[in-house]
Amino acid sequence: MKGRIAFQGEPGAYSHQACRQARPEMEALPCATFEDAIEACRRGDADLAMLPVENSTYGRVADIHHLLPESGLHIVDEAFVRVHINLLAVPGTRLEAVEGAMSHTVLLGQCRGFMKQHGIRPVTGADTAGSARHVSELADPKLAALASELAGEIYGLEVLARHIEDKSNNTTRFLVMAREPDLKRRGDDGMMTSFVFRVRNIPAALYKAMGGFATNGVNMTKLESYMVDGVFSATQFYADIEGHPDDANVQRALEELAYFTSYMKLLGVYPADPMRHGA
């Protein structure tokens, strides 16, 4: 599939890397915010949008679950991207010359061991790719950046040290969004179904709503709650389950869920990424 895929961040961001990995044939379109990436897809400036939803180290991405139900878009794929952090500097720089490293505060916190070992102080930047661009423009060998190899490629920086993150399994899950759903595909590694719902105001409603998945043998891989419109009494749940709504057991589980909910919205049906099962 050719066309454009929108992402939040500057060129070289890890979301850009996700676009390259999941849709290498498409042109990546950088956007300032998640809302801008969604809107670019919604109005047709892009065919798809790549949105991060959770990280194995830091949990879910703030605000994204609020945006998904109202986006008008549908999940058509997921992508798991390994977050490899690299020390990038202007060409010709020696590691011993680096005194500070700039990056987003989250990435700085993921490289404490390497930074301490080499006496490099953390310098907070707005984001990873922006930090790489700043280091390239400043051209001071004393300041390096922590970012992806893609960022180094884009901004003409050399990799002084590769994969310096403290946790070797750091992974971010992304969702690929489109204007139209695709319910016909069947993935080699199974299917995923994502939806949001609110339970009825009756005792043990959530417990009863979840019972249908257990009795029908449907594996729920994620269940998260979050407030709606900042009101403590209004809670919405986001869920991922294994299977397709056309599967008999999934169909029965969703019918039972509907009985105990006041609102339910399907967000997407899509093939499971092989990395979900450790491939």
Side-chain angles (χ1 to χ4, degrees), residues 169-210:
N169 63 342
N170 191 10
T171 303
T172 297
R173 179 183 178 224
F174 291 82
L175 297 177
V176 181
M177 313 291 292
R179 289 185 294 278
E180 298 295 332
D182 187 350
L183 305 179
K184 297 178 181 179
R185 292 175 302 164
R186 289 286 178 164
D188 294 336
D189 294 279
M191 297 295 292
M192 300 296 300
T193 297
S194 297
F195 53 93
V196 291
F197 66 94
R198 299 177 198 171
V199 294
R200 292 167 56 194
N201 189 22
I202 58 175
L206 179 60
Y207 172 79
K208 294 174 181 176
M210 295 297 96

Side-chain angles (χ1 to χ4, degrees), residues 192-253:
M192 300 296 300
T193 297
S194 297
F195 53 93
V196 291
F197 66 94
R198 299 177 198 171
V199 294
R200 292 167 56 194
N201 189 22
I202 58 175
L206 179 60
Y207 172 79
K208 294 174 181 176
M210 295 297 96
F213 296 97
T215 56
N216 287 288
V218 177
N219 185 29
M220 180 170 286
T221 62
K222 177 166 291 295
L223 179 64
E224 292 189 344
S225 65
Y226 56 98
M227 289 188 298
V228 180
D229 298 326
V231 179
F232 285 98
S233 59
T235 301
Q236 188 153 288
F237 295 89
Y238 170 95
D240 292 330
I241 60 172
E242 293 182 349
H244 192 292
D246 289 344
D247 298 340
N249 62 332
V250 174
Q251 193 170 29
R252 290 192 298 268

Side-chain angles (χ1 to χ4, degrees), residues 41-74:
C41 183
R42 191 159 48 191
R43 65 172 177 254
D45 292 344
D47 302 280
L48 302 173
M50 179 71 73
L51 301 176
V53 289
E54 58 190 324
N55 176 268
S56 60
T57 302
Y58 283 88
R60 73 183 182 192
V61 176
D63 298 332
I64 202 69
H65 290 103
H66 293 278
L67 296 174
L68 291 179
E70 308 304 323
S71 69
L73 303 179
H74 305 268

Side-chain angles (χ1 to χ4, degrees), residues 141-175:
K142 294 179 181 179
L143 182 65
L146 299 178
S148 67
E149 287 195 57
L150 177 59
E153 173 190 320
I154 290 173
Y155 299 110
L157 300 175
E158 287 186 354
V159 179
L160 299 187
R162 282 184 171 84
H163 304 179
I164 62 173
E165 60 272 14
D166 295 330
K167 295 186 178 181
S168 60
N169 63 342
N170 191 10
T171 303
T172 297
R173 179 183 178 224
F174 291 82
L175 297 177

